PDB file of all heavy atoms in Angstrom:
ATOM      1  N   GLY A 871     -20.649   4.212  -7.733  1.00  0.00           N
ATOM      2  CA  GLY A 871     -20.609   4.834  -9.052  1.00  0.00           C
ATOM      3  C   GLY A 871     -21.419   6.107  -9.120  1.00  0.00           C
ATOM      4  O   GLY A 871     -21.262   6.901 -10.066  1.00  0.00           O
ATOM      5  N   ARG A 872     -22.259   6.342  -8.109  1.00  0.00           N
ATOM      6  CA  ARG A 872     -23.101   7.548  -8.094  1.00  0.00           C
ATOM      7  C   ARG A 872     -22.945   8.334  -6.799  1.00  0.00           C
ATOM      8  O   ARG A 872     -22.939   9.550  -6.802  1.00  0.00           O
ATOM      9  CB  ARG A 872     -24.588   7.162  -8.267  1.00  0.00           C
ATOM     10  CG  ARG A 872     -24.885   6.436  -9.558  1.00  0.00           C
ATOM     11  CD  ARG A 872     -26.364   6.104  -9.662  1.00  0.00           C
ATOM     12  NE  ARG A 872     -26.835   5.336  -8.495  1.00  0.00           N
ATOM     13  CZ  ARG A 872     -26.705   4.021  -8.383  1.00  0.00           C
ATOM     14  NH1 ARG A 872     -26.128   3.319  -9.338  1.00  0.00           N
ATOM     15  NH2 ARG A 872     -27.171   3.389  -7.309  1.00  0.00           N
ATOM     16  N   GLU A 873     -22.819   7.599  -5.675  1.00  0.00           N
ATOM     17  CA  GLU A 873     -22.757   8.268  -4.388  1.00  0.00           C
ATOM     18  C   GLU A 873     -22.022   7.388  -3.375  1.00  0.00           C
ATOM     19  O   GLU A 873     -21.826   6.192  -3.601  1.00  0.00           O
ATOM     20  CB  GLU A 873     -24.168   8.573  -3.873  1.00  0.00           C
ATOM     21  CG  GLU A 873     -25.012   7.322  -3.669  1.00  0.00           C
ATOM     22  CD  GLU A 873     -26.424   7.647  -3.241  1.00  0.00           C
ATOM     23  OE1 GLU A 873     -26.740   8.835  -3.130  1.00  0.00           O
ATOM     24  OE2 GLU A 873     -27.200   6.679  -3.018  1.00  0.00           O
ATOM     25  N   TRP A 874     -21.621   8.041  -2.273  1.00  0.00           N
ATOM     26  CA  TRP A 874     -20.973   7.330  -1.179  1.00  0.00           C
ATOM     27  C   TRP A 874     -21.994   6.972  -0.099  1.00  0.00           C
ATOM     28  O   TRP A 874     -22.867   7.768   0.215  1.00  0.00           O
ATOM     29  CB  TRP A 874     -19.888   8.192  -0.544  1.00  0.00           C
ATOM     30  CG  TRP A 874     -18.692   8.451  -1.393  1.00  0.00           C
ATOM     31  CD1 TRP A 874     -18.449   9.560  -2.161  1.00  0.00           C
ATOM     32  CD2 TRP A 874     -17.562   7.589  -1.568  1.00  0.00           C
ATOM     33  NE1 TRP A 874     -17.242   9.443  -2.793  1.00  0.00           N
ATOM     34  CE2 TRP A 874     -16.669   8.255  -2.442  1.00  0.00           C
ATOM     35  CE3 TRP A 874     -17.205   6.342  -1.058  1.00  0.00           C
ATOM     36  CZ2 TRP A 874     -15.453   7.700  -2.833  1.00  0.00           C
ATOM     37  CZ3 TRP A 874     -15.997   5.784  -1.445  1.00  0.00           C
ATOM     38  CH2 TRP A 874     -15.140   6.454  -2.321  1.00  0.00           C
ATOM     39  N   GLN A 875     -21.845   5.794   0.451  1.00  0.00           N
ATOM     40  CA  GLN A 875     -22.588   5.403   1.641  1.00  0.00           C
ATOM     41  C   GLN A 875     -21.574   5.202   2.757  1.00  0.00           C
ATOM     42  O   GLN A 875     -20.727   4.319   2.673  1.00  0.00           O
ATOM     43  CB  GLN A 875     -23.390   4.125   1.414  1.00  0.00           C
ATOM     44  CG  GLN A 875     -24.184   3.696   2.647  1.00  0.00           C
ATOM     45  CD  GLN A 875     -24.993   2.432   2.405  1.00  0.00           C
ATOM     46  OE1 GLN A 875     -24.973   1.861   1.324  1.00  0.00           O
ATOM     47  NE2 GLN A 875     -25.704   1.992   3.435  1.00  0.00           N
ATOM     48  N   GLN A 876     -21.651   6.035   3.792  1.00  0.00           N
ATOM     49  CA  GLN A 876     -20.655   6.010   4.853  1.00  0.00           C
ATOM     50  C   GLN A 876     -21.196   5.355   6.114  1.00  0.00           C
ATOM     51  O   GLN A 876     -22.359   5.534   6.477  1.00  0.00           O
ATOM     52  CB  GLN A 876     -20.187   7.429   5.178  1.00  0.00           C
ATOM     53  CG  GLN A 876     -19.050   7.489   6.196  1.00  0.00           C
ATOM     54  CD  GLN A 876     -18.545   8.899   6.405  1.00  0.00           C
ATOM     55  OE1 GLN A 876     -19.113   9.644   7.201  1.00  0.00           O
ATOM     56  NE2 GLN A 876     -17.483   9.277   5.693  1.00  0.00           N
ATOM     57  N   THR A 877     -20.312   4.599   6.791  1.00  0.00           N
ATOM     58  CA  THR A 877     -20.649   3.952   8.055  1.00  0.00           C
ATOM     59  C   THR A 877     -19.571   4.285   9.080  1.00  0.00           C
ATOM     60  O   THR A 877     -18.375   4.199   8.778  1.00  0.00           O
ATOM     61  CB  THR A 877     -20.734   2.420   7.897  1.00  0.00           C
ATOM     62  OG1 THR A 877     -21.683   2.097   6.887  1.00  0.00           O
ATOM     63  CG2 THR A 877     -21.124   1.762   9.209  1.00  0.00           C
ATOM     64  N   ILE A 878     -19.985   4.689  10.259  1.00  0.00           N
ATOM     65  CA  ILE A 878     -19.043   4.880  11.360  1.00  0.00           C
ATOM     66  C   ILE A 878     -18.757   3.508  11.946  1.00  0.00           C
ATOM     67  O   ILE A 878     -19.633   2.882  12.545  1.00  0.00           O
ATOM     68  CB  ILE A 878     -19.599   5.832  12.435  1.00  0.00           C
ATOM     69  CG1 ILE A 878     -19.994   7.167  11.801  1.00  0.00           C
ATOM     70  CG2 ILE A 878     -18.574   6.044  13.541  1.00  0.00           C
ATOM     71  CD1 ILE A 878     -18.873   7.868  11.061  1.00  0.00           C
ATOM     72  N   VAL A 879     -17.533   3.037  11.775  1.00  0.00           N
ATOM     73  CA  VAL A 879     -17.195   1.674  12.185  1.00  0.00           C
ATOM     74  C   VAL A 879     -16.674   1.618  13.614  1.00  0.00           C
ATOM     75  O   VAL A 879     -16.597   0.531  14.204  1.00  0.00           O
ATOM     76  CB  VAL A 879     -16.171   1.057  11.213  1.00  0.00           C
ATOM     77  CG1 VAL A 879     -16.771   0.949   9.817  1.00  0.00           C
ATOM     78  CG2 VAL A 879     -14.872   1.859  11.186  1.00  0.00           C
ATOM     79  N   HIS A 880     -16.292   2.778  14.162  1.00  0.00           N
ATOM     80  CA  HIS A 880     -15.860   2.835  15.564  1.00  0.00           C
ATOM     81  C   HIS A 880     -16.043   4.277  16.012  1.00  0.00           C
ATOM     82  O   HIS A 880     -15.290   5.162  15.603  1.00  0.00           O
ATOM     83  CB  HIS A 880     -14.401   2.396  15.707  1.00  0.00           C
ATOM     84  CG  HIS A 880     -13.939   2.281  17.131  1.00  0.00           C
ATOM     85  ND1 HIS A 880     -14.493   1.401  18.032  1.00  0.00           N
ATOM     86  CD2 HIS A 880     -12.976   2.950  17.823  1.00  0.00           C
ATOM     87  CE1 HIS A 880     -13.889   1.518  19.198  1.00  0.00           C
ATOM     88  NE2 HIS A 880     -12.969   2.445  19.108  1.00  0.00           N
ATOM     89  N   GLY A 881     -17.033   4.499  16.851  1.00  0.00           N
ATOM     90  CA  GLY A 881     -17.428   5.854  17.182  1.00  0.00           C
ATOM     91  C   GLY A 881     -16.739   6.459  18.379  1.00  0.00           C
ATOM     92  O   GLY A 881     -17.380   7.144  19.168  1.00  0.00           O
ATOM     93  N   PHE A 882     -15.445   6.206  18.538  1.00  0.00           N
ATOM     94  CA  PHE A 882     -14.700   6.810  19.636  1.00  0.00           C
ATOM     95  C   PHE A 882     -13.971   8.040  19.114  1.00  0.00           C
ATOM     96  O   PHE A 882     -13.485   8.041  17.983  1.00  0.00           O
ATOM     97  CB  PHE A 882     -13.699   5.807  20.216  1.00  0.00           C
ATOM     98  CG  PHE A 882     -13.266   6.133  21.614  1.00  0.00           C
ATOM     99  CD1 PHE A 882     -14.077   5.829  22.695  1.00  0.00           C
ATOM    100  CD2 PHE A 882     -12.054   6.751  21.857  1.00  0.00           C
ATOM    101  CE1 PHE A 882     -13.684   6.127  23.991  1.00  0.00           C
ATOM    102  CE2 PHE A 882     -11.653   7.050  23.144  1.00  0.00           C
ATOM    103  CZ  PHE A 882     -12.474   6.742  24.214  1.00  0.00           C
ATOM    104  N   PRO A 883     -13.879   9.116  19.912  1.00  0.00           N
ATOM    105  CA  PRO A 883     -13.212  10.338  19.427  1.00  0.00           C
ATOM    106  C   PRO A 883     -11.791  10.068  18.937  1.00  0.00           C
ATOM    107  O   PRO A 883     -11.024   9.344  19.582  1.00  0.00           O
ATOM    108  CB  PRO A 883     -13.208  11.243  20.663  1.00  0.00           C
ATOM    109  CG  PRO A 883     -14.358  10.774  21.486  1.00  0.00           C
ATOM    110  CD  PRO A 883     -14.430   9.298  21.268  1.00  0.00           C
TER     111      PRO A 883
END
Side-chain angles (χ1 to χ4, degrees):
R872 300 181 305 277
E873 61 183 1
W874 291 97
Q875 180 179 0
Q876 185 175 85
T877 303
I878 304 303
V879 297
H880 187 62
F882 201 79

